[in-house]
Amino acid sequence: MKLSPSLALTLPLLSGGAVAADLSVKFELPQLNVAEYHKPYVAMWIEKADGAVASTLAVLYDVKKKDNAGEKWVKDMRTWWRKAGREAQLPIDGVSGATRAAGTHTLSFGPARTGIDKLPAGDYKLVVEAAREAGGRELVRVPFTLPAKGKVAATANGKEELGAVSLNIQ
């Protein structure tokens, strides 16, 4: 299954009883005024309070490059690569997807692929990392707490490679 810009999947979260909720991530890739612009590679994951990866949500890179040549640059997303990527066999079914052009994008995630419905109550962070060939690298962390009671909205802002990143749980 390949990621599309807006999948609508349900995500049950833990609480006194299972609560149906949608988890979506909206992220902005700014158009940079540079001589050589390449679409950034983006990794998105949920991080536990101790910094360990609870679940990789998305790895967006040039999946259609001949002979899997796009995988060569995935290592430039250094934080994700060191925490989860080294052990990953790319492409990851349901996680790997194509790079995105400049603009605002929304991805939604379900429990069958993320395992978030099995996470214990506690503090977590959505982490989004972007890296561009002939460009920079940036990491944005958006803190949130499980179980979510009602709607949860959290936002953080990048400075160069990423713009606004927001997490919504409803």
Side-chain angles (χ1 to χ4, degrees):
M1 176 177 138
K2 298 222 181 198
L3 294 175
S4 68
S6 59
L7 297 170
L9 301 173
T10 5
L11 171 67
L13 296 176
L14 299 173
S15 68
V19 176
D22 288 329
L23 177 129
S24 64
V25 177
K26 186 174 182 179
F27 62 103
E28 179 186 7
L29 299 174
Q31 179 65 52
L32 303 174
N33 188 16
V34 293
E36 186 178 346
Y37 180 81
H38 298 275
K39 294 178 187 175
Y41 282 18
V42 176
M44 192 176 298
W45 68 95
I46 295 174
E47 192 173 80
K48 297 177 186 176
D50 67 0
V53 173
S55 178
T56 296
L57 300 174
V59 182
L60 308 177
Y61 65 98
D62 195 347
V63 293
K64 293 186 178 183
K65 251 189 171 171
K66 186 178 179 180
D67 298 322
N68 298 323
E71 293 177 15
K72 174 183 177 183
W73 304 105
V74 170
K75 296 174 188 172
D76 285 351
M77 296 181 290
R78 289 180 280 186
T79 303
W80 175 78
W81 180 256
R82 290 177 182 144
K83 291 183 175 217
R86 289 179 213 219
E87 289 83 35
Q89 182 65 37
L90 296 172
I92 305 169
D93 188 34
V95 173
S96 296
T99 57
R100 303 289 194 266
T104 301
H105 306 279
T106 302
L107 298 175
S108 296
F109 304 96
R113 193 166 54 76
T114 65
I116 194 169
D117 60 326
K118 295 174 180 58
L119 292 176
D123 294 327
Y124 295 90
K125 291 179 183 141
L126 165 72
V127 186
V128 179
E129 182 174 21
R132 259 184 333 105
E133 182 182 348
R137 184 182 77 82
E138 186 168 18
L139 189 82
V140 173
R141 286 187 167 89
V142 182
F144 67 100
T145 302
L146 292 177
K149 295 181 180 176
K151 294 181 180 182
V152 174
T155 303
N157 290 306
K159 295 180 180 164
E160 293 179 17
E161 299 297 331
L162 289 163
V165 175
S166 62
L167 166 77
N168 288 294
I169 302 173
Q170 336 184 25

